[in-house]
Amino acid sequence: MEIIKTDVAIIGAGGAGLRAAIAVAESDPGLKVALISKVYPMRSHTVAAEGGAAGVKKPTDSLEYHFHDTVGGGDWLCEQDVVEYFVSQAPVELTQLEHWGCPWSRTEDGHVNVRAFGGMKIERTWFAADKSGFHILHTLFQTSIKYPSIRRFDEHFCVDLVEEDGRCLGVVVIETSTGEFSLIEAKSVIIATGGAGRVFRESTLGGIVTGDGMALAYRHGVALRDMEFVQYHPTCMPVTGLLFTEACRGEGGYLVNKDGYRYLQDYGLGPLQEKPKNKYMELGPRDRLSQAFFFEKQQGRTIEHPTLGSVVHLDLRHLGEAYLHERLPLIYEMAETFMGIDPAKQPIPVRPGVHYTMGGIKVDGRCATSLQGLYAIGECASVGLHGANRLGSNSLTELLVFGKVAGVEAAGNAKSSAPGNSSNLLEQAKAVEQRATELKTKTDGTEKIAVIRKEMAQTMEEGCGIYRVEKTMQATCDKLAELRERFKRINIDDKSSVFNTEWLTAIELDNQLDVALSMAHSAINRKESRGAHQRLDGYEKRDDVNFLKHSEAYYVAGGVPRIALGDVKITKSQPAERVYGAAGEKADQERKESHD
Amino acid sequence: MTENLKIIEIEVLRYNPESDQEPHLEVYSVPFSDDMSVLQGVQYIKDNFDGSLTFRWSCRMAICGSCGMMINGIPKLSCETFLRDYYPDRIRVEAMAHFPIEKDLVVDLSGFIEKLESIQPYIIPKEPRSLDQGEYIQSPKQFNDYIQFTSCINCTLCYAACPQFGLNPDFIGPGAIALLHRYNMDSRDGAAAERMELVASEEGVFNCSAVGYCSEVCPKHVDPANAVNINKTNAAKDYFLRFLSPKGGAK
């Protein structure tokens, strides 16, 4: 087995991993960085983010407003000190990206423009048309090429971490093109592998979003925090789940039911507004909008499409063809190519789809996990920014702000630590190799990967959807335990070494099952409704007495996850009723007066 | 639902370097509905007929650039190409032309990545600016000068289309030149002269025989042929200006 020695190993080369790599390189060009990705960096799922990245920009805006929007949007489950740091660094990092060449959309006078987004009081979402994630990712990837200390391991799949005396000291990777294993010894390891939404059925996500890094940290004893909070994006393409960005509504799009009625006015988001108004109607937060769809469907007011199923309409027609081409070119193309719809002439059928994992690897405000030397950032991490519901456009900025923090911290740790015992680490790596190889070489398997994956996604949708009840959540927990057993009898047709994607898919499925279990058990344990976790079985209200707490799932080998509750850091925003529309404006006013 | 499905024959070029002397075609009968892409067709084969069928994919929405293939001989993103448009005929799916095949539909992209790295694809500031000075100002004209060339998703379909890249794998090629042009045209950048050496080199723009097929197959309308053309002119101008000024002439 090849052994590579580096200072900082980063798993995942999407927005967060790339930003961290650059931060290490800038903080000390003498430190070696191994940047590992199971795909080429520009394929990472950051690429698919559309709407933009939040950071205070306008003179009428303030860090205070961004803080309150985020904490309220998260239903008070955010770490408030983390949010304070985040909002303060957001404009700095977005400007840094501009200096690196990101083609942010601009105003006529040449400054960076900002657009409205759901749950945000003032326009503060920096955007690059409707391909913001694409441009952020390519800008970071291309900029990273400037730094000779960053050595990339493209198309290398990370199968495990190695540790010694409570310190994480490296990773074991498979080179996809050969199937060969390497041990990459490192003094610091950063996990930046993205979310886990593909454990669900209808999702906006790419096939690579399989929660690998979460599973790695989890099996090494690090808690997965707040995993029950899974974001449904309200406007997705039916069946495929592909995303129609929230910017469609930020730019003025309407959501209407089968009667052509803008139904959100019935769900505490009104009164009706002609023009987009921040935190009203279509610019409410994602959890509320997806929940409204659920009730419209229940009351028979959705449109029943012969092949697409139940949908509502996203109506952009009044914005006009020219404006749509300028502001939402990707959306225009997607509607035409995938649905045969001209959005300037016809409304687009949409429904909610799984979009984002609010929870993740538990880290502190400096991105450190409980395992010394191990850090996590971005969607795979729970730094405490999003609470029970993420506001759209906060997560792209999160990649930058905390990507930098993790890079700086990991660099500092690498400089002050001694390397591990190489022969001990190699022994561990060899055991990892043996275990992973057996998955492929064994010949008595009967279970198909595709079948287990499908059943997992189906049961997650049934038990951990927009609304949840004890009975189906329990059924999901049981089903996942059954699938965990059946996975042991998995069959892999492809026994080859070169580019064996079937084998890697099996390893991903192994990861997905563990992450799914942590979600289902965290969900059934939270006996209240908050943000994206909504129950219909006697726990319809938020319960701050018992559940103003983080869920922490701990891995139990061969058993079900152990769920503990952790404290929430509150600095200056005491939990209050979470209201939008006219009621929200009134509450804002009262809060302001009480401070004056 | 299944009874309404039509059946299409998908012919796939298979190659496993560990067991095959050379690539060969295999045919699969795939049930499909009108909304299914060619990518979903090959996914169906992998999930149901042969788990060893190998291809790259991820986003399914034509932005990650992973899933390029030759579809009936034309380079396309398989996620946004639909089976219904070929039915009832048989459809042939092969690895992208002009690249070495690693396995089945997966090609070796390492050469392309090296080219992309070689063009200095990052801002080398004309006038450095500190973060507290805020963003650079770019007029709508300055913005429009380069924005089209930022849309490249690195799918390499243009390389599979380029006859000259087929003949000379060292040619930097349309995609990387379009990206080079993107940075040259950005008002924040001041390194066009540095990049000129590569533009005018043995591997540079003069390999191009102006067929223009690269722009035709580009799924993002980047128009790399235009970028190559402009740089031919720039390189020629630079060549002559070098006689007049020791500093060269670009930008």
Side-chain angles (χ1 to χ4, degrees):
Chain A
M1 185 184 299
E2 194 188 351
I3 299 166
I4 295 144
K5 296 196 184 199
T6 191
D7 292 297
V8 179
I10 302 173
I11 316 164
L18 286 164
R19 183 66 189 88
I22 294 171
V24 177
E26 293 210 320
S27 76
D28 186 345
L31 289 173
K32 285 188 278 188
V33 180
L35 181 58
I36 302 148
S37 170
K38 66 177 178 178
V39 290
Y40 281 103
M42 63 281 193
R43 316 301 187 209
S44 308
H45 200 64
T46 305
V47 81
E50 295 171 359
V56 166
K57 177 82 179 134
K58 289 183 133 183
T60 48
D61 199 0
S62 73
L63 301 181
E64 199 70 7
Y65 287 159
H66 192 185
F67 169 86
H68 283 291
D69 286 346
T70 301
V71 172
D75 222 347
W76 280 272
L77 208 64
C78 306
E79 293 291 282
Q80 294 187 8
D81 53 345
V82 168
V83 180
E84 284 181 50
Y85 178 77
F86 167 77
V87 299
S88 74
Q89 293 306 302
V92 181
E93 277 298 313
L94 293 170
T95 304
Q96 174 67 77
L97 210 60
E98 195 277 336
H99 287 197
W100 285 335
C102 186
W104 296 121
S105 294
R106 292 179 186 258
T107 56
E108 281 299 307
D109 69 358
H111 287 89
V112 171
N113 202 356
V114 283
R115 67 167 34 135
F117 238 67
M120 300 282 191
K121 182 184 172 75
I122 309 277
E123 298 77 22
R124 64 170 74 99
T125 297
W126 303 40
F127 62 101
D130 57 356
K131 298 185 207 173
S132 308
F134 163 79
H135 284 303
I136 290 174
L137 182 67
H138 280 249
T139 300
L140 287 169
F141 170 55
Q142 289 159 16
T143 301
S144 77
I145 292 169
K146 204 164 58 171
Y147 301 92
S149 59
I150 301 173
R151 176 175 170 195
R152 289 203 323 273
F153 294 77
D154 297 338
E155 295 194 326
H156 281 64
F157 193 106
C158 180
V159 263
D160 211 343
L161 312 172
V162 289
E163 58 169 296
E164 185 181 79
D165 302 330
R167 289 168 65 204
C168 183
L169 285 166
V171 299
V172 183
V173 300
I174 301 170
E175 182 180 42
T176 306
S177 65
T178 60
E180 279 169 20
F181 286 76
S182 302
L183 166 63
I184 302 180
E185 281 186 43
K187 294 175 201 158
S188 303
V189 175
I190 302 174
I191 301 181
T193 51
R198 291 288 294 200
V199 302
F200 286 84
R201 197 174 62 93
E202 227 169 64
S203 90
T204 63
L205 305 161
I208 58 176
V209 185
T210 50
D212 304 320
M214 292 177 184
L216 294 184
Y218 182 49
R219 292 188 202 124
H220 280 263
V222 179
L224 295 183
R225 184 166 73 181
D226 295 338
M227 292 301 286
E228 64 273 40
F229 299 104
V230 175
Q231 180 161 78
Y232 274 77
H233 193 293
T235 57
C236 302
M237 196 183 292
V239 187
T240 62
L242 297 180
L243 173 68
F244 291 111
T245 171
E246 189 160 299
C248 294
R249 288 167 281 125
E251 298 293 350
Y254 300 145
L255 277 175
V256 298
N257 65 15
K258 70 170 185 182
D259 305 316
Y261 175 70
R262 288 173 66 193
Y263 57 90
L264 294 174
Q265 60 192 295
D266 298 345
Y267 296 90
L269 292 157
L272 195 65
Q273 305 292 321
E274 271 310 310
K275 296 271 171 211
K277 186 170 178 188
N278 296 318
K279 300 177 87 164
Y280 276 76
M281 294 295 294
E282 283 84 359
L283 291 178
R286 290 178 178 171
D287 54 343
R288 291 287 166 86
L289 267 61
S290 294
Q291 289 152 18
F293 173 89
F294 177 93
F295 284 113
E296 286 295 294
K297 184 179 170 199
Q298 243 188 5
Q299 287 157 37
R301 292 200 293 256
T302 48
I303 300 145
E304 297 312 308
H305 192 282
T307 53
L308 303 178
S310 305
V311 298
V312 288
H313 277 156
L314 174 63
D315 194 346
L316 306 175
R317 289 175 296 180
H318 55 287
L319 300 176
E321 190 179 331
Y323 190 75
L324 291 176
H325 275 300
E326 183 206 328
R327 292 300 180 96
L328 302 165
L330 181 70
I331 295 310
Y332 211 116
E333 238 174 68
M334 276 169 55
E336 284 185 317
T337 310
F338 292 94
M339 304 181 86
I341 281 177
D342 178 349
K345 298 199 175 78
Q346 293 161 275
I348 307 171
V350 294
R351 69 166 163 261
V354 165
H355 184 55
Y356 191 84
T357 325
M358 257 80 71
I361 301 163
K362 183 188 168 191
V363 293
D364 64 19
R366 303 302 291 173
C367 306
T369 71
S370 56
L371 181 58
Q372 213 257 313
L374 182 67
Y375 303 82
I377 37 169
E379 193 176 343
C380 71
S382 168
V383 71
L385 174 61
H386 306 303
N389 172 63
R390 174 178 71 94
L391 291 189
S393 76
N394 266 351
S395 56
L396 282 177
T397 313
E398 176 189 13
L399 307 178
L400 305 169
V401 170
F402 293 103
K404 180 178 177 183
V405 170
V408 169
E409 293 290 322
N413 178 66
K415 279 195 279 195
S416 63
S417 324
N421 174 336
S422 293
S423 63
N424 177 6
L425 297 175
L426 184 60
E427 281 314 301
Q428 288 182 48
K430 283 181 178 162
V432 171
E433 175 176 18
Q434 195 187 346
R435 204 170 58 231
T437 306
E438 273 168 12
L439 189 64
K440 177 173 75 175
T441 51
K442 72 187 173 70
T443 50
D444 55 348
T446 50
E447 292 282 354
K448 284 178 91 76
I449 293 173
V451 172
I452 292 186
R453 191 172 55 210
K454 201 170 162 188
E455 290 184 26
M456 168 187 70
Q458 189 69 43
T459 194
M460 286 304 285
E461 180 171 285
E462 284 161 10
C464 297
I466 298 174
Y467 280 93
R468 301 163 175 184
V469 295
E470 169 99 19
K471 198 172 152 219
T472 52
M473 279 189 282
Q474 188 57 54
T476 295
C477 292
D478 297 343
K479 180 73 188 180
L480 291 172
E482 174 205 313
L483 295 175
R484 206 43 295 180
E485 267 314 294
R486 283 167 54 191
F487 180 83
K488 293 177 183 162
R489 298 187 297 277
I490 203 114
N491 170 62
I492 295 175
D493 292 339
D494 193 343
K495 305 292 182 199
S496 71
S497 305
V498 172
F499 230 100
N500 190 334
T501 54
E502 192 186 20
W503 177 36
L504 299 182
T505 305
I507 298 173
E508 287 174 338
L509 181 58
D510 192 13
N511 293 336
Q512 288 179 300
L513 286 168
D514 278 345
V515 173
L517 274 159
S518 77
M519 286 174 168
H521 284 270
S522 299
I524 201 167
N525 189 64
R526 183 172 288 276
K527 295 183 169 57
E528 64 155 356
S529 291
R530 182 187 299 269
H533 177 73
Q534 293 290 317
R535 297 185 61 148
L536 293 171
D537 52 352
Y539 305 107
E540 285 82 354
K541 291 267 183 293
R542 197 176 80 193
D543 174 3
D544 285 340
V545 176
N546 296 302
F547 285 101
L548 184 57
K549 296 279 180 194
H550 295 296
S551 305
E552 295 177 359
Y554 289 91
Y555 180 70
V556 177
V560 299
R562 177 173 67 81
I563 308 294
L565 294 178
D567 289 338
V568 177
K569 176 81 172 182
I570 291 178
T571 57
K572 57 187 179 187
S573 173
Q574 287 304 316
E577 200 190 344
R578 184 166 169 245
V579 280
Y580 290 91
E585 206 162 350
K586 186 159 163 272
D588 271 1
Q589 194 56 38
E590 283 166 10
R591 193 182 64 230
K592 201 162 163 247
E593 278 160 14
S594 75
H595 276 270
D596 289 346
Chain B
M1 193 173 136
T2 339
E3 62 271 21
N4 299 329
L5 292 177
K6 293 171 278 195
I7 307 281
I8 189 167
E9 283 186 329
I10 304 182
E11 192 174 38
V12 186
L13 190 70
R14 301 293 310 264
Y15 175 63
N16 178 346
E18 290 163 79
S19 54
D20 297 336
Q21 290 291 316
E22 52 188 56
H24 60 281
L25 290 162
E26 277 184 38
V27 184
Y28 304 89
S29 294
V30 175
F32 78 104
S33 52
D34 279 346
D35 59 349
M36 268 174 74
S37 61
V38 173
L39 173 63
Q40 285 171 299
V42 291
Q43 285 174 325
Y44 188 93
I45 296 168
K46 187 176 182 72
D47 284 351
N48 295 280
F49 303 142
D50 185 351
S52 73
L53 178 63
T54 303
F55 47 92
R56 292 187 178 101
W57 70 283
S58 179
C59 78
R60 310 168 293 140
M61 54 185 278
I63 194 79
C64 79
S66 304
C67 69
M69 301 170 189
M70 304 301 284
I71 300 177
N72 281 1
I74 299 173
K76 284 176 180 290
L77 294 179
S78 58
C79 71
E80 60 166 3
T81 305
F82 294 89
L83 293 170
R84 60 172 186 257
D85 296 331
Y86 297 85
Y87 182 81
D89 297 333
R90 180 186 281 191
I91 178 172
R92 180 182 288 191
V93 179
E94 299 160 285
M96 275 191 291
H98 306 151
F99 291 94
I101 301 179
E102 278 191 80
K103 183 177 178 180
D104 293 340
L105 301 170
V106 171
V107 296
D108 180 358
L109 288 175
S110 53
F112 167 72
I113 296 293
E114 280 165 28
K115 290 177 175 121
L116 191 145
E117 289 169 341
S118 75
I119 58 141
Q120 297 182 291
Y122 36 82
I123 297 279
I124 301 174
K126 191 189 281 172
E127 293 164 27
R129 198 174 171 88
S130 67
L131 288 175
D132 50 26
Q133 288 175 287
E135 75 261 45
Y136 288 89
I137 307 300
Q138 277 188 329
S139 70
K141 172 169 185 318
Q142 289 173 321
F143 185 77
N144 288 330
D145 279 344
Y146 77 97
I147 190 67
Q148 176 190 342
F149 302 104
T150 64
S151 293
C152 172
I153 61 174
N154 301 161
C155 66
T156 68
L157 295 187
C158 55
Y159 287 79
C162 175
Q164 294 309 116
F165 174 65
L167 296 171
N168 174 17
D170 292 334
F171 174 33
I172 304 169
I177 291 173
L179 188 63
L180 176 149
H181 189 60
R182 170 252 178 277
Y183 280 100
N184 280 354
M185 293 305 289
D186 193 316
S187 59
R188 293 167 288 195
D189 183 86
E194 263 181 66
R195 296 189 189 99
M196 180 53 78
E197 203 178 321
L198 193 60
V199 169
S201 72
E202 195 93 332
E203 294 79 40
V205 287
F206 294 112
N207 281 275
C208 168
S209 54
V211 172
Y213 192 30
C214 54
S215 290
E216 233 175 276
V217 303
C218 175
K220 294 292 154 187
H221 317 296
V222 173
D223 199 358
N226 186 26
V228 174
N229 267 332
I230 296 169
N231 280 283
K232 280 184 188 170
T233 314
N234 288 351
K237 242 195 281 181
D238 184 68
Y239 179 79
F240 287 112
L241 286 171
R242 269 175 209 274
F243 289 106
L244 305 173
S245 143
K247 284 167 75 187
K251 213 172 173 183

